[in-house]
Amino acid sequence: MAAQQSDQFKKVIAHCKEYGFIYQSSEIYDNLSAVYDYGPYGVELKNNIKQYWWKAMVQMHDNIVGLDAAIFMHPKTWKASGHVDAFNDPLIDNKDSQKRYRADVLIEEYMEKIEKKIDKEVAKAGKRFGDAFDEQQFRETNDRVLRNQQKFDEARDRLAKAMTDGDMEELKNMILEYEIACPESGSRNWTDVRQFNLMFSTQLGNIAGEEGKLYLRPETAQGIFVNFLNVQKTTRQKLPFGIAQIGKAFRNEIVARQFIFRMREFEQMEMQFFVAPGEEMKWYEYWKEARMKWHKALGTPDEKLRFHDHDNLAHYANAAVDIQFDFPFGFKELEGIHSRTDFDLSQHQELSGKKMQYFDPEKQESYVPYVVETSIGCDRMFLTVMSQALQEETVPDAKGKDSTRTVLKIHPALAPIKCAVMPLLKNREELTSKATEIFNDLRFAFSCQYDEKDAIGRRYRRQDAIGTPYCITVDFDTLEDNTVTIRDRDTLEQERIPIDQIEKIVREKVSMKQLLKD
RNA sequence: GCGGAUGUAGCUCAGCUGGUAGAGCGCAACCUUGCCAAGGUUGAGGUCGCGGGUUCGAAUCUCGUCAUCCGCUCCA
């Protein structure tokens, strides 16, 4: 991370706080770790981001519909989705290197080593015996191979049992018995194995116990999957079709940092697209392109965005790609596009005993659809917008000298405040009353602000700092000919326009239409 | 969670070896001001992150705790 980029990140965080975009949660109680509140301008910007997504995904597609599922779901949901198992990481620390590892991964690596030993032995024997070599027979009879194979099998069985039983002590014992050393320090000075469950739990009813245990959803997708048939039937959708949802999700991250990039409570904007088996890769490619286009429409330069293929796929996916953004701390995942196969629906079908199938009228058969998912972090999108928007410029001041201008160059369609109305001077009643009149009319159309305090230049700069794209100024000419000046945030240029044209002109400039048109 | 650094006004910080808090900017009111962070006057704001301990006395020393930042791990 370059020092300059790090500076930019600090500036973004400070700006968010100072101008009412984002505050840390529970600040008066010394904050709650990795939880943030959106302030007055933050909530406007976030709502606009959500609206842009919803418009693009739901309202502009005939075959995508919306959903708002509850945060609480039946506990079996998370068994089916694999989160109960996959989100339980047994972790162990090496006291000397102070590195943290997943205990099960350490044991798996140990097993791999044994496997390699066996393969080496077999390869060696193969060379020795030449064409007459019978690998099967060698593996079944060679002493050294058999001994290693036995070790391997034992480790595999013990690991499997310990993982299903959640037996942390056994994992620790295995690491000690197998004399597994820290890859970094070579030391065998380990802490105990501790379980970290990434799901938050609470209980249903007021009696604590396993039966009533509920989880706060770690992803919004499952609310869509369990409602798949409800939505399909009530909206008479045919494959392919999608269900979109914006909502909160919760993960008890071990380390949650980097401002709103990784939070314990966060908001996802997800769309699950249901397709016929065999067509998933076609749609996977389609959504890859469509989602990238959505990002670029905001004016994000090409070099700030890239695709990044997943090296190891999650338990539910057969293809997965990230859209990464060049955050001030480097390229990081902003959105994921996953081909989730029929994993989720099949799992739910199995655990619930209810059919999760679609009857295809053309093929005259029923099947479990495949799913292609697009999933974007709303808060990360917010950070994306903020971190490119915040700029410092050198512009001439009233005396023609250089001064620094802090400006948020947010796309007008996303800007929290679309337009500010201000009288040139505040001690002239004829100016303030005219400006107030214009403001009171415009506020019906957009989020507007009225400001008469301080010098006009300062007021412009204040609007720059919160990203307001247009400022309307009422001056003495206004009283003569009913025109005002409209100032552009980015070019600083002013244009004279008639009062009755303000709404039309601003509306056009802040519309999402330009973002969504081809 | 582990290791390191940090925590004083809304913000950025000063406060030396312990003697009970300041600056700049910002904010509020009034005056002034004919277009890009102008000027003047007045004013509000801090039990120095929180809780113990040492001391006649702690923002300053010590322990604990909470939080933030930087590394390790994970992910939207």
Side-chain angles (χ1 to χ4, degrees):
Chain A
M1 191 197 298
Q4 206 182 358
Q5 288 175 320
S6 167
D7 275 359
Q8 168 69 3
F9 189 40
K10 277 182 190 151
K11 279 179 187 164
V12 169
I13 296 168
H15 195 87
C16 280
K17 198 200 163 185
E18 285 192 49
Y19 289 90
F21 284 85
I22 293 170
Y23 314 118
Q24 268 224 281
S25 165
S26 317
E27 212 181 72
I28 63 164
Y29 292 108
D30 284 331
N31 309 321
L32 183 60
S33 181
V35 184
Y36 292 86
D37 299 335
Y38 284 82
Y41 298 119
V43 64
E44 295 286 348
L45 173 55
K46 196 178 181 200
N47 281 340
N48 291 339
I49 289 170
K50 289 193 236 179
Q51 202 197 330
Y52 173 43
W53 186 84
W54 195 259
K55 196 94 205 159
M57 299 301 279
V58 178
Q59 294 173 353
M60 299 302 288
H61 283 94
D62 296 334
N63 61 345
I64 298 181
V65 293
L67 181 75
D68 184 16
I71 287 170
F72 290 139
M73 297 186 71
H74 194 284
K76 278 191 182 170
T77 309
W78 308 114
K79 192 78 196 153
S81 70
H83 284 90
V84 171
D85 299 325
F87 269 36
N88 270 308
D89 292 342
L91 299 178
I92 188 165
D93 291 337
N94 183 272
K95 288 177 189 164
D96 297 320
S97 65
Q98 279 157 9
K99 298 267 176 186
R100 165 166 296 174
Y101 302 92
R102 277 178 52 177
D104 54 328
V105 171
L106 283 178
I107 296 169
E108 275 166 13
E109 282 168 2
Y110 162 81
M111 285 158 59
E112 264 172 43
K113 269 188 202 159
I114 298 179
E115 231 175 356
K116 273 194 195 134
K117 263 190 200 165
I118 297 175
D119 289 344
K120 227 169 154 184
E121 200 77 40
V122 172
K124 239 165 60 186
K127 255 190 202 156
R128 197 154 17 106
F129 291 110
D131 293 339
F133 182 59
D134 182 343
E135 189 181 324
Q136 178 101 19
Q137 194 193 351
F138 182 76
R139 278 180 185 272
E140 281 167 10
T141 52
N142 181 281
D143 261 4
R144 253 177 296 185
V145 171
L146 279 178
R147 238 179 303 143
N148 276 324
Q149 189 61 45
Q150 198 186 345
K151 262 176 152 176
F152 180 89
D153 291 345
E154 186 206 288
R156 186 192 55 208
D157 295 345
R158 280 179 74 180
L159 178 61
K161 189 171 183 320
M163 289 302 283
T164 28
D165 295 349
D167 190 345
M168 297 299 116
E169 220 167 292
E170 169 71 355
L171 289 174
K172 169 97 188 259
N173 288 339
M174 287 174 73
I175 287 172
L176 294 180
E177 275 176 44
Y178 298 153
E179 301 183 330
I180 296 174
C182 168
E184 190 90 354
S185 65
S187 133
R188 293 184 210 135
N189 190 7
W190 296 105
T191 63
D192 283 340
V193 179
R194 285 159 300 175
Q195 181 119 27
F196 285 84
N197 192 329
L198 260 47
M199 285 196 289
F200 283 101
S201 61
T202 180
Q203 80 267 357
L204 184 65
N206 43 23
I207 300 163
E210 278 305 305
E211 327 72 59
K213 197 171 184 185
L214 278 191
Y215 293 107
L216 269 56
R217 64 181 179 199
E219 65 173 18
T220 53
Q222 299 305 325
I224 293 176
F225 294 134
V226 300
N227 277 301
F228 158 68
L229 278 183
N230 281 339
V231 173
Q232 189 267 321
K233 283 179 177 157
T234 50
T235 58
R236 297 174 297 125
Q237 294 288 347
K238 282 186 196 154
L239 250 49
F241 79 97
I243 304 176
Q245 170 163 239
I246 298 176
K248 288 277 178 84
F250 305 83
R251 284 185 201 173
N252 200 356
E253 298 286 348
I254 304 158
V255 173
R257 241 182 294 168
Q258 281 165 319
F259 195 41
I260 56 169
F261 184 78
R262 180 167 298 115
M263 298 195 286
R264 299 218 157 90
E265 173 179 345
F266 60 101
E267 201 153 12
Q268 290 183 311
M269 303 193 287
E270 289 197 324
M271 193 278 298
Q272 310 292 332
F273 201 69
F274 299 91
V275 304
E279 294 199 344
E280 69 271 18
M281 288 318 288
K282 186 180 92 188
W283 287 106
Y284 174 74
E285 293 301 327
Y286 171 86
W287 283 111
K288 258 178 86 168
E289 297 314 313
R291 292 305 306 151
M292 189 55 107
K293 205 171 138 196
W294 183 88
H295 287 283
K296 289 192 173 164
L298 284 172
T300 308
D302 284 7
E303 66 270 19
K304 287 266 184 188
L305 289 165
R306 71 179 188 199
F307 286 115
H308 180 257
D309 287 306
H310 279 217
D311 297 332
N312 26 10
L313 296 170
H315 59 276
Y316 51 72
N318 70 353
V321 68
D322 292 341
I323 292 177
Q324 293 189 331
F325 174 75
D326 189 8
F327 286 97
F329 41 89
F331 271 101
K332 296 276 176 178
E333 180 179 3
L334 167 63
E335 172 158 7
I337 295 137
H338 305 133
S339 173
R340 296 183 74 132
T341 70
D342 60 352
F343 176 84
D344 299 276
L345 290 178
S346 297
Q347 284 286 106
H348 286 306
Q349 178 167 277
E350 199 181 314
L351 255 88
S352 68
K354 307 283 193 314
K355 273 221 158 61
M356 298 297 280
Q357 299 186 355
Y358 168 78
F359 179 73
D360 190 324
E362 280 166 35
K363 295 183 189 159
Q364 287 288 307
E365 59 170 355
S366 290
Y367 51 79
V368 178
Y370 270 48
V371 172
V372 175
E373 163 190 85
T374 75
S375 173
I376 173 168
C378 186
D379 312 279
R380 286 185 181 183
M381 190 60 204
F382 188 104
L383 190 54
T384 299
V385 171
M386 281 303 276
S387 53
Q388 354 177 32
L390 182 62
Q391 295 178 21
E392 279 176 358
E393 290 181 343
T394 305
V395 293
D397 66 11
K399 294 174 192 118
K401 285 205 285 187
D402 283 353
S403 69
T404 305
R405 177 172 88 118
T406 300
V407 54
L408 275 185
K409 292 195 172 173
I410 302 177
H411 192 286
L414 298 184
I417 305 293
K418 305 302 186 196
C419 162
V421 183
M422 38 189 79
L424 187 58
L425 299 172
K426 80 163 170 181
N427 58 353
R428 302 296 170 87
E429 208 276 329
E430 58 281 29
L431 292 181
T432 55
S433 65
K434 190 71 191 169
T436 310
E437 186 190 316
I438 293 170
F439 167 66
N440 279 330
D441 183 53
L442 280 181
R443 69 197 309 184
F444 286 106
F446 334 99
S447 59
C448 281
Q449 269 193 356
Y450 175 80
D451 194 359
E452 59 174 32
K453 279 174 198 147
D454 303 307
I456 189 77
R458 178 189 287 281
R459 281 179 269 163
Y460 287 147
R461 297 299 175 84
R462 264 206 291 263
Q463 294 302 328
D464 288 342
I466 59 168
T468 307
Y470 303 104
C471 291
I472 303 291
T473 304
V474 172
D475 58 18
F476 292 98
D477 290 346
T478 309
L479 306 174
E480 304 285 317
D481 60 5
N482 273 317
T483 62
V484 294
T485 61
I486 180 166
R487 169 199 183 258
D488 185 284
R489 177 195 66 201
D490 301 337
T491 65
L492 300 179
E493 273 165 22
Q494 283 178 289
E495 216 184 308
R496 268 212 106 73
I497 59 170
I499 290 176
D500 58 15
Q501 292 291 303
I502 302 173
E503 184 175 330
K504 184 173 165 279
I505 290 170
V506 176
R507 186 190 298 283
E508 213 158 274
K509 295 185 175 201
V510 305
S511 162
M512 284 196 185
K513 204 168 176 179
Q514 46 183 316
L515 291 175
L516 296 161
K517 274 198 297 198
D518 285 333

